[in-house]
Amino acid sequence: MKQWLGNVFRLGMKELGSLRADPVLILLIVYVFSFAVYSVATGAKLEVANASVAYVDQDRSALTGRILSAILPPEFNPPQEIALDEIAAVMDSGEFVFVLSFPPSFEADVLTGRTPEIQLNVDATAMAQAGNGLVFLQQIISAEVAKFLSGEDSATTLPIDLVVTSKFNPNLNSVWFSSVMQIINNITILSVLLTGAALIREREHGTIEHLLVMPVTPSEIMVAKIWANGLAIVVGVILSLWIVVQVILAVPIAGSIPLFVLGAVIYLVSVTGLGILLATFTTSMPQFGLLAMPVLVVMNLLSGSTTPMESMPEWLQAVMQLAPSTHFVAFSQAILYRGAGIEIVWPDMVIMAALGAVFFLVALRRFRVTMATAH
């Protein structure tokens, strides 16, 4: 065992040296855990912001003016008036996300108790903004009509007192969500790419033959690649959470970062093993990239990091329980968002460890076959 650990350590140090000598991979790690996190968190917002609104006012009454004046920044840009025959053209061109059309005699019909219709055209290609913005506009219109009819500037008092408490993200700020989730997704991406690239690099540089004639076993080579590349990822994660998320973006971390790092280490065993497994089926970096890309896309999109697991078909939810990324996302969200302790997240840690052992053993078997063939 002492000899095995010594070989793993020395091979891992060699791997770190190879990584340090590869400026492209170093730049990739720095970019993924710095600018990529910041740009996605500040640019890919889920809430409504600066949505473009146009309107057609065939009534030109005090009520329509009141409604339009209530559509305010930062959710919406100031509404712009267009002609009735321009609605189709501006919607087709994507110039506006929302187009309101007030019919003639709108205010008079409201005052006489009729139910006039307001046409609201929505460009649903901007799906998140369209869905949330539609709700906001409906609330604005309903509130302004109620105030107009009551003659009061305060909203109509409801027979109930609804108290809304937003836990874990009181301001519903998407930066809090997207910054942390970007780091979680990047762990998966880099774990697969770095370990796979390490094996491909050995082949392309011809050093795999050197390893074959050395008194080392496939398990030592594989574990060395896992701990060396995993160490680089863990360091990048810790610095990204500290500098980018907490300092630059001012996002609070609710739970224990050491507990999160422990879970990330367990998770790294499975995804780095997956990277080596994929690399054994390829002979060059372009082939590896083409093979890894669809795997990573599926793992990230269906892990619960982008959309809730509950929104997926039940059969797909069951299938995704076999993916370690699903449990890592649940584990990470519980700790970093909700401040959960080990008494809550230990089942996910156990499942990640079990799946990691399976991925590691499968990858090790395939790696042994590959090395025997190369020899």
Side-chain angles (χ1 to χ4, degrees):
M1 176 59 70
K2 183 177 180 181
Q3 180 66 32
W4 188 89
L5 292 175
N7 289 341
V8 167
F9 175 77
R10 285 186 287 271
L11 288 171
M13 294 303 295
K14 179 194 78 69
E15 190 65 34
L16 288 175
S18 300
L19 181 62
R20 183 178 58 187
D22 194 329
V24 174
L25 288 181
I26 293 294
L27 182 62
L28 175 64
I29 296 173
V30 173
Y31 166 79
V32 161
F33 287 121
S34 57
F35 180 76
V37 174
Y38 178 83
S39 59
V40 169
T42 57
K45 294 187 176 181
L46 301 178
E47 62 263 31
V48 179
N50 302 318
S52 55
V53 181
Y55 69 93
V56 176
D57 191 355
Q58 302 179 77
D59 188 37
R60 298 192 178 279
S61 61
L63 178 55
T64 58
R66 182 169 186 153
I67 293 173
L68 293 172
S69 64
I71 302 175
L72 299 171
E75 287 82 11
F76 303 97
N77 288 329
Q80 300 183 31
E81 186 173 9
I82 62 174
L84 180 62
D85 58 0
E86 293 178 330
I87 293 179
V90 298
M91 291 297 293
D92 291 342
S93 65
E95 186 176 353
F96 296 97
V97 179
F98 304 98
V99 177
L100 279 165
S101 179
F102 297 97
S105 304
F106 172 70
E107 180 182 297
D109 289 341
V110 170
L111 291 173
T112 56
R114 298 187 182 94
T115 54
E117 294 182 354
I118 301 176
Q119 185 184 70
L120 176 56
N121 299 279
V122 182
D123 181 2
T125 56
M127 189 173 61
Q129 192 175 53
N132 294 331
L134 175 62
V135 174
F136 289 167
L137 287 174
Q138 288 175 326
Q139 292 175 344
I140 291 171
I141 294 171
S142 298
E144 293 304 319
V145 170
K147 293 176 186 177
F148 178 79
L149 290 175
S150 65
E152 301 177 358
D153 286 335
S154 59
T156 303
T157 303
L158 296 176
I160 61 172
D161 185 13
L162 178 63
V163 179
V164 179
T165 303
S166 299
K167 300 287 290 183
F168 315 119
N169 190 352
N171 296 325
L172 303 180
N173 188 347
S174 64
V175 174
W176 288 23
F177 173 80
S178 53
S179 60
V180 175
M181 288 314 306
Q182 185 64 20
I183 293 178
I184 294 172
N185 289 335
N186 288 345
I187 291 174
T188 302
I189 295 172
L190 276 186
S191 299
V192 172
L193 293 183
L194 288 186
T195 50
L199 181 57
I200 299 296
R201 187 170 56 241
E202 299 278 10
R203 290 177 175 173
E204 292 182 341
H205 294 173
T207 53
I208 189 70
E209 286 79 9
H210 298 166
L211 292 175
L212 292 175
V213 298
M214 293 176 61
V216 294
T217 63
S219 64
E220 293 171 348
I221 298 173
M222 185 171 167
V223 173
K225 293 185 181 300
I226 289 176
W227 83 255
N229 290 284
L231 177 63
I233 294 171
V234 168
V235 171
V237 168
I238 295 174
L239 293 177
S240 185
L241 282 174
W242 173 39
I243 299 174
V244 180
V245 174
Q246 293 183 293
V247 176
I248 298 178
L249 296 175
V251 177
I253 300 298
S256 169
I257 292 182
L259 178 59
F260 168 72
V261 171
L262 175 61
V265 170
I266 297 174
Y267 175 65
L268 283 171
V269 175
S270 59
V271 282
T272 50
L274 176 61
I276 292 178
L277 177 63
L278 294 177
T280 59
F281 291 99
T282 61
T283 57
S284 65
M285 282 301 297
Q287 289 182 355
F288 174 70
L290 291 174
L291 182 59
M293 187 181 303
V295 175
L296 291 173
V297 168
V298 171
M299 288 181 67
N300 283 340
L301 290 181
L302 301 182
S303 64
S305 63
T306 304
T307 56
M309 290 292 296
E310 294 78 8
S311 65
M312 303 177 192
E314 292 186 1
W315 67 267
L316 186 56
Q317 294 183 40
V319 171
M320 289 308 297
Q321 296 305 310
L322 300 176
S325 57
T326 301
H327 302 281
F328 181 61
V329 167
F331 164 86
S332 302
Q333 290 178 343
I335 294 176
L336 300 180
Y337 292 152
R338 299 187 290 272
I342 194 169
E343 69 280 358
I344 294 178
V345 299
W346 70 265
D348 288 314
M349 298 178 71
V350 171
I351 295 174
M352 285 192 296
L355 292 175
V358 172
F359 273 86
F360 179 84
L361 293 175
V362 172
L364 179 59
R365 181 177 180 181
R366 174 64 190 176
F367 186 51
R368 283 172 173 164
V369 172
T370 303
M371 290 192 66
T373 304
H375 184 71

